[in-house]
Amino acid sequence: MAAIKGTLSVDSSGVVEMIDTYDRPGNAIAAGTYADAGTYADGFEDKPGKRIPKAGVYAGAGVGLARAEWSICEAQAKGPNASAGAGASAATLSAEAFAKAELASASASAGPLKAKVGLAADTGVSVGLTGVEAKVLGTGFSFGRKMGVSLFGTGFEFNLW
């Protein structure tokens, strides 16, 4: 079961991401249908998105995508889609694996400030030095720096620092 979910957060990991994107050039895309899959292994290059060491795999497909990004800001809207991935980041000393099916979503961020609303069923796990998060079909918990509970995709969370 999925539910409409909205979040607004200020996150210290967003500050670390700013180091990786402060000089990112502007870019915008729009697609009726899309599919993408790949791997990445980045780190220690003086280029946007490649400064912080990280590695992973991903795959996703959907109908309806609009995305714009510039410097530390980005906005995105998606129609029906599904995605899966796994990755690790040295910036947050964490690893994650996830699968997601969304009917629709819209998100925006500016550095550590993030907002998202959508109708989705998330399944996955994230483990790091600052906490653990687990969800099955939108029901789960976050414990550590980020504390939260969700039930069928609707929930609350707050960051302790």
Side-chain angles (χ1 to χ4, degrees):
M1 175 183 262
I4 295 175
K5 180 179 182 183
T7 60
L8 177 63
S9 65
V10 176
D11 192 343
S12 60
S13 68
V15 174
V16 174
E17 291 171 10
M18 287 173 50
I19 294 167
D20 217 14
T21 59
Y22 73 91
D23 60 347
R24 176 172 55 182
N27 186 33
I29 62 166
T33 60
Y34 63 94
D36 192 20
T39 62
Y40 59 93
D42 300 316
F44 303 116
E45 289 184 53
D46 191 19
K47 296 180 182 176
K50 297 185 181 264
R51 292 181 183 93
I52 306 297
K54 56 192 166 286
V57 298
Y58 63 91
V63 178
L65 167 67
R67 179 176 175 81
E69 59 189 23
W70 175 72
S71 187
I72 63 169
C73 301
E74 57 187 60
Q76 178 171 272
K78 290 182 177 180
N81 69 86
S83 61
S89 171
T92 56
L93 296 175
S94 63
E96 69 176 357
F98 70 90
K100 180 187 292 188
E102 286 183 322
L103 186 59
S105 69
S107 62
S109 67
L113 180 62
K114 301 178 188 301
K116 182 174 184 176
V117 65
L119 181 58
D122 301 358
T123 298
V125 64
S126 175
V127 178
L129 288 179
T130 60
V132 63
E133 180 174 4
K135 287 185 183 176
V136 176
L137 296 176
T139 299
F141 67 92
S142 300
F143 184 78
R145 179 184 46 81
K146 181 172 70 171
M147 303 291 283
V149 175
S150 62
L151 182 62
F152 304 119
T154 300
F156 71 92
E157 68 181 40
F158 62 94
N159 291 305
L160 297 176
W161 49 273

